[in-house]
Amino acid sequence: MHDKLNRMKQEYESIPIPDELNEMVNRTIASRRKKIKAMPWLASAAAACILLFAGVNASPAFAQALSEVPVLGKIVKVITIREYAEQNENTDVHLKTPGIAGTGDPELEQSLNTKYLEENKKLYEDFKDEVAQLEKGGGGHLGLESGYEVVTDTDRLLTLSRYVVESAGSSAESRKYDTIDKINHIVITLPSLFSDDRYIQAISDNIKEQMRQQMKDDPNKVYWVQQPGTEPDMPEEEMFRSIAKDQNFYINQDGKLVISFDEYDVAPGYMGVVEFTIPTEAIQDLLVSNEYIK
C-alpha cells in the first residue's frame, strides 16, 4: 500500500505540462465539434460558458496563456488545470483542481491558481497520512474527492466554490468560496463589505432566527441553536453562537449575501452543507455600500 501511495503521489506531482499552446488550443476547438463520451465521474464538471480540457491536465501557465487567446479569452472563466483519480480496495481518490482564466489580471489568476493547486496538494498529503494511520489500526476504506462549481457568474461577479468530501464509513463535506470582482480584479472578503465588526452579531442573530423558523416549519430540520426560554439540550460549546469574522460566504446571482456552514458545523450530518441567505435589510446600515449587496 505504501509503495502504491508513493507512486500515486509521484504521478500526481509530475503530471506533464503542455509545451505547445497553439496545438492544444486547436485540438480542443476541434474536439468541441465531436460528441464526447465522458467518464461518469467527469459528468459533474463545472464551467462558466465553456469548460476546456487540455488533455486531462494543464498548467497554470496554460490557463494564463489561454486567457490571452482572442475570442476564447473573453468567454473562459474556469478551467480544470489538474485532475487525478485512483481507486483500489482501500482508497478512492479523485482530485479536480480549478483554474481562473480571462480576468485580464495575470497576477490575480496566478495567485488564485497557485492557491488551488496547493490546496489539493495538501489534501492529498493529509490523505496519505490518514491511510498510513489506518493501516496501523488494521486497515479500512478511505475516500477523498475534491471538485468545484461556479455558483455566481454575473457581469460584475464570479464566485467559485471548491468542495471536499472525505469519507471513512460516513462522509463529511466542506466548502470554500472565492468571490471575484471582475472589473476591479479583486477577491472580496466578508469584512470588506462592512464598515465595522458589528456585522458579525447582526448576521449571527439573523441566522439564529432563520434556524428556529426552519425547525418550526419543518420538524425534519435540526440546528444546534438554543430556543429562547429553554435549557440547552447539548453542551453549550457545541451550540451555534456566532459566525466567524471570515465566515464562508458568497454573493448570489441576485446580489444577496449567503453564509455557508460545512457539514457538522451547526447541524447534524444528514443536513449536509447548510446555507442562509441574509436579507439585505438586516445588514443595510452596516454595509460600506450597495455596490455588491443589493
Side-chain angles (χ1 to χ4, degrees):
M1 172 64 73
H2 286 298
D3 291 340
K4 187 161 188 123
L5 282 169
N6 287 330
R7 190 164 62 254
M8 287 165 62
K9 184 179 183 207
Q10 291 171 3
E11 291 172 355
Y12 179 73
E13 294 181 344
S14 63
I15 293 175
I17 294 176
D19 295 322
E20 299 296 330
L21 171 63
N22 290 335
E23 178 183 350
M24 294 178 67
V25 172
N26 290 336
R27 187 165 62 246
T28 304
I29 293 173
S31 69
R32 291 180 56 206
R33 300 191 182 103
K34 301 178 182 179
K35 183 177 181 180
I36 299 174
K37 187 174 182 180
M39 296 173 64
W41 45 266
L42 290 177
S44 62
C49 302
I50 284 181
L51 178 63
L52 298 181
F53 284 94
V56 176
N57 308 285
S59 68
F62 173 69
Q64 178 178 330
L66 186 59
S67 70
E68 298 169 358
V69 176
V71 181
L72 286 181
K74 297 179 181 179
I75 58 176
V76 173
K77 295 296 187 294
V78 181
I79 62 174
T80 296
I81 58 176
R82 178 167 290 179
E83 184 160 8
Y84 181 77
E86 175 74 20
Q87 185 175 22
N88 58 47
E89 67 274 15
N90 295 317
T91 61
D92 189 352
V93 182
H94 181 204
L95 303 176
K96 184 183 293 186
T97 306
I100 303 291
T103 66
D105 187 331
E107 291 185 5
L108 174 63
E109 293 169 14
Q110 181 177 358
S111 174
L112 289 170
N113 296 346
T114 299
K115 178 177 74 170
Y116 301 151
L117 285 165
E118 289 297 321
E119 283 179 350
N120 270 3
K121 180 180 179 182
K122 186 177 187 305
L123 277 174
Y124 182 82
E125 291 173 346
D126 291 346
F127 179 77
K128 181 181 177 182
D129 291 340
E130 291 179 15
V131 171
Q133 291 297 319
L134 189 65
E135 286 182 331
K136 292 180 181 179
H141 188 276
L142 291 178
L144 175 65
E145 178 184 3
S146 72
Y148 64 92
E149 63 179 334
V150 174
V151 296
T152 300
D153 190 6
T154 68
D155 291 340
R156 184 66 182 269
L157 300 177
L158 172 73
T159 297
L160 178 64
S161 169
R162 288 105 59 215
Y163 63 84
V164 176
V165 179
E166 300 174 271
S167 57
S170 60
S171 64
E173 180 178 355
S174 59
R175 286 182 175 259
K176 295 180 181 179
Y177 304 84
D178 280 325
T179 296
I180 301 165
D181 180 334
K182 299 178 184 179
I183 297 175
N184 293 316
H185 303 156
I186 59 173
V187 177
I188 301 167
T189 66
L190 188 59
S192 72
L193 296 171
F194 299 95
S195 56
D196 55 51
D197 287 350
R198 288 179 296 161
Y199 73 89
I200 298 175
Q201 189 64 50
I203 293 175
S204 299
D205 289 345
N206 184 267
I207 289 175
K208 291 175 186 177
E209 291 178 8
Q210 292 193 48
M211 288 177 169
R212 292 165 182 147
Q213 188 62 49
Q214 287 185 29
M215 289 191 294
K216 180 179 178 181
D217 295 340
D218 185 352
N220 293 317
K221 289 188 175 182
V222 174
Y223 294 106
W224 296 327
V225 61
Q226 185 174 352
Q227 296 288 1
T230 65
E231 291 295 325
D233 55 3
M234 63 187 304
E236 186 172 343
E237 62 271 15
E238 296 180 14
M239 305 287 283
F240 170 66
R241 296 297 180 188
S242 173
I243 65 168
K245 184 176 183 179
D246 58 350
Q247 184 69 42
N248 264 330
F249 83 99
Y250 64 91
I251 301 170
N252 67 18
Q253 293 282 139
D254 299 321
K256 302 301 181 183
L257 178 65
V258 181
I259 299 296
S260 175
F261 294 94
D262 292 342
E263 194 170 352
Y264 294 102
D265 274 359
V266 296
Y270 76 86
M271 293 281 289
V273 171
V274 293
E275 299 179 346
F276 298 90
T277 300
I278 308 302
T280 301
E281 56 268 25
I283 54 176
Q284 179 62 64
D285 294 342
L286 306 176
L287 291 169
V288 172
S289 72
N290 289 106
E291 188 172 9
Y292 302 125
I293 306 297
K294 309 299 181 184

